[in-house]
């Protein structure tokens, strides 16, 4: 049993003083791209809530994952990676992050210990410093051979002088190590409040959004480094069919140019078929009902410059 599942299974008894009021907090997750925010969220929730990909800037929305333990309920919001860019899409993503931080009861700032702190990390730390009173810092990827947790801790101590040492913690989200301590630190600053969701809920994403994210994740992990940023998924139809409640979905993988369409389809339609099959397998793992997927590729020319499209895709 993982340490996170052990804490979750003890809801109502272990780890909390008997009779103590339960706490609830909305927790925004901050960090530069590829720091492990989505991996942390999925591990903490013990379910696939957010896309995990080696491609930076994967998360485009404020994605919620819910953790219930003996201490109460933490509602995490996985925000887009906060980084330097003047492109319209990236400016929108930064605004999503800033909005979530201002509304959160607590903030989890994740630092990648395998990378030296540069200008991008300093920008994240400067943003986090505004919320020092409700901030927990997690030094992630400590399982990696190239991890330098001591350097990351020194950076955090210098950049965030008002955050006490007991709220700067080491963890490996991928290996599920140190996450319990991070959760407990967040509970220590969470307000006493009733739960926002029932205990059987681990995300508030609707079916269409979850399916579109699964498809996008499978596409991103199979395409070239630049192309994933040029695509989005549009669910055209979603309906229940048959007596067993089977869900039928028609979706489009949308790209910016005709040349990209050919890459996504692949020779003999091999790539789009692989993406569809992998998406179907993951969708069936996530949902308790059968899902049939019709997946096609469509060109939405220069969509990253269209305000209407960005507003539809990027939620806060």
């Amino acid at each position: 049993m993982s340490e996170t599942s052990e804490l979750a299974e003890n809801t109502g008894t272990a780890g909390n003083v008997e009779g103590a009021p339960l706490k609830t907090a909305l927790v925004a997750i901050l960090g530069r791209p590829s720091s492990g925010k989505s991996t942390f969220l999925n591990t903490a929730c013990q379910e696939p809530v957010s896309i995990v990909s080696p491609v930076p800037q994967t998360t485009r929305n404020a994605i919620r994952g819910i953790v219930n333990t003996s201490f109460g309920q933490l509602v995490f919001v996985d925000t887009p990676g906060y980084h330097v860019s003047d492109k319209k899409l990236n400016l929108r993503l930064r605004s999503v992050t800033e909005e979530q931080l201002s509304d959160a009861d607590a903030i989890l700032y994740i630092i990648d210990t395998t990378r030296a702190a540069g200008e991008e990390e300093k920008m994240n730390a400067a943003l986090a410093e505004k919320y020092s009173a409700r901030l927990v810092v997690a030094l992630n990827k400590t399982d990696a051979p190239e991890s330098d947790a001591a350097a990351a801790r020194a950076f955090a101590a210098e950049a965030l002088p008002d955050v006490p040492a007991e709220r700067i913690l080491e963890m490996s989200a991928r290996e599920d190590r140190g996450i319990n301590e991070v959760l407990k630190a967040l509970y220590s600053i969470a307000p006493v409040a009733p739960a926002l969701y029932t205990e059987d809920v681990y995300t508030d994403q609707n079916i269409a959004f979850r399916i579109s994210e699964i498809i996008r994740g499978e596409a991103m992990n199979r395409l070239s480094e630049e192309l994933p940023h040029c695509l989005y998924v549009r669910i055209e139809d979603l309906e229940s069919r048959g007596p067993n409640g089977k869900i039928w979905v028609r979706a489009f993988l949308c790209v910016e140019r005709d040349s990209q369409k050919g890459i996504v389809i692949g020779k003999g339609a091999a790539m789009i078929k692989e993406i569809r099959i992998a998406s179907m397998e993951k969708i069936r793992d996530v949902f308790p009902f059968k899902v049939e997927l019709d997946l096609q590729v469509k060109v939405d020319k220069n969509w990253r410059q269209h305000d209407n499209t960005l507003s539809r895709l990027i939620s806060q």
Side-chain angles (χ1 to χ4, degrees):
M1 180 185 295
S2 69
E3 63 173 44
T4 302
S5 60
E6 185 176 4
L7 181 65
E9 282 199 356
N10 289 329
T11 301
T13 54
N16 199 7
V17 177
E18 186 174 354
L22 298 178
K23 295 183 172 185
T24 297
L26 182 65
V27 183
I29 307 175
L30 172 68
R32 58 176 165 168
S34 302
S35 59
K37 301 183 300 299
S38 297
T39 301
F40 168 83
L41 183 64
N42 292 341
T43 303
C45 294
Q46 303 171 64
E47 296 287 352
V49 176
S50 192
I51 295 176
V52 175
S53 170
V55 180
Q57 209 71 13
T58 298
T59 303
R60 291 176 178 167
N61 301 74
I63 295 176
R64 294 193 178 192
I66 300 147
V67 174
N68 293 288
T69 73
S70 58
F71 296 93
Q73 185 174 92
L74 298 176
V75 181
F76 286 97
V77 183
D78 182 14
T79 61
Y82 200 79
H83 74 140
V84 180
S85 174
D86 58 0
K87 293 182 179 179
K88 183 175 287 191
L89 172 61
N90 292 321
L91 291 175
R92 286 288 190 100
L93 297 179
R94 285 177 60 175
S95 72
V96 171
T97 299
E98 292 165 358
E99 179 79 14
Q100 294 302 322
L101 293 180
S102 65
D103 292 342
D105 299 305
I107 295 163
L108 176 62
Y109 172 28
I110 296 181
I111 297 176
D112 181 355
T113 63
T114 67
R115 294 183 286 171
E119 288 305 311
E120 201 166 73
E121 196 71 77
K122 292 176 182 177
M123 182 180 70
N124 278 267
L127 183 60
E129 188 183 17
K130 302 175 185 178
Y131 307 100
S132 293
R134 45 193 169 111
L135 185 69
V136 171
V137 181
L139 310 179
N140 193 27
K141 303 186 182 180
T142 55
D143 59 299
E146 64 271 29
S147 170
D148 191 344
R153 182 177 292 277
F155 167 78
E158 181 179 355
L160 304 163
D162 295 329
V163 178
E166 60 266 25
R167 282 199 264 126
I168 302 176
L169 303 160
E170 296 181 17
M171 74 171 186
S172 167
R174 186 171 67 89
E175 297 293 331
D176 191 3
R177 293 205 305 260
I179 290 185
N180 278 358
E181 286 66 31
V182 171
L183 296 178
K184 290 175 183 177
L186 289 166
Y187 279 118
S188 73
I189 56 178
V192 174
L196 298 173
Y197 299 90
T198 58
E199 289 185 10
D200 60 333
V201 175
Y202 65 86
T203 182
D204 64 355
Q205 300 167 13
N206 62 43
I207 293 175
F209 178 78
R210 297 204 71 193
I211 290 175
S212 68
E213 286 291 272
I214 289 170
I215 296 169
R216 188 166 69 92
E218 295 304 318
M220 291 184 73
N221 288 326
R222 286 168 171 79
L223 298 170
S224 60
E225 185 172 339
E226 176 57 27
L227 190 55
H229 298 293
C230 304
L231 63 82
Y232 72 89
V233 176
R234 190 173 78 207
I235 303 296
E236 197 71 16
D237 294 296
L238 191 154
E239 59 184 72
S240 178
R241 292 182 175 181
N244 297 323
K246 179 172 69 176
I247 301 296
W248 180 82
V249 182
R250 183 158 65 100
F252 288 104
L253 264 171
C254 299
V255 294
E256 290 185 310
R257 299 191 299 273
D258 287 324
S259 59
Q260 296 166 347
K261 181 178 179 179
I263 295 172
V264 177
I265 293 174
K267 186 176 181 180
M271 178 57 72
I272 190 64
K273 181 179 179 180
E274 183 179 335
I275 294 170
R276 176 184 172 275
I277 292 173
S279 299
M280 288 274 290
E281 290 176 354
K282 186 158 289 186
I283 290 168
R284 288 168 178 169
D285 287 341
V286 169
F287 296 106
F289 41 78
K290 189 174 181 180
V291 177
E292 292 294 337
L293 175 62
D294 174 18
L295 183 61
Q296 302 175 43
V297 185
K298 190 172 185 177
V299 176
D300 184 356
K301 191 173 181 180
N302 298 324
W303 66 264
R304 286 184 292 180
Q305 302 303 317
H306 300 163
D307 289 331
N308 289 339
T309 302
L310 293 178
S311 296
R312 187 173 69 250
L313 293 175
I314 301 172
S315 64
Q316 298 187 28

